[in-house]
Amino acid sequence: MMPSMLRIRHQTISHTESDDMKTMTCRELGGACDQKLSAETWDEMVKTMTKHVMDKHPDTAKAMEKMHNEDPKKWGREMKPKWDAKAED
Ligand SMILES: [Zn+2]
């Protein structure tokens, strides 16, 4: 008999339609203001946030760069669940 506990949960890969935008604020992503940032994918959100932080919050950008150098996955580990929890607009 196969124990049902061994069943592996498959992660569904998100389909990418052009209007599947999600919006998060700078603050939700560890930034310093309430600017709304929209993106279709997490990778795009990371780029959007990085650009915003470099433009608007040089100090935060430095802190994030330092964090990235120490642990490249840390920021994503903390912020990605928030992204995943967001409903599409
Ligand atoms: Zn900001």
Side-chain angles (χ1 to χ4, degrees), residues 9-52:
R9 261 178 62 198
H10 288 277
Q11 288 196 320
T12 48
I13 306 301
S14 63
H15 58 114
T16 50
E17 285 177 13
S18 61
D19 56 352
D20 285 349
M21 300 286 280
K22 292 191 192 185
T23 302
M24 293 181 77
T25 63
C26 173
R27 198 183 300 281
E28 283 177 305
L29 291 163
C33 75
D34 291 311
Q35 170 83 45
K36 287 188 171 72
L37 305 167
S38 297
E40 289 175 22
T41 64
W42 171 242
D43 283 350
E44 197 184 308
M45 178 55 88
V46 171
K47 282 180 202 153
T48 304
M49 177 58 180
T50 302
K51 184 176 183 302
H52 169 80

Side-chain angles (χ1 to χ4, degrees), residues 62-76:
K62 271 193 203 126
M64 282 182 168
E65 192 185 356
K66 188 168 178 289
M67 181 163 72
H68 185 83
N69 288 336
E70 288 166 2
D71 181 355
K73 300 265 168 66
K74 182 174 160 59
W75 186 79

Side-chain angles (χ1 to χ4, degrees), residues 22 80-87:
K22 292 191 192 185
K80 180 106 182 342
K82 297 188 194 180
W83 165 266
D84 288 337
K86 283 273 163 183

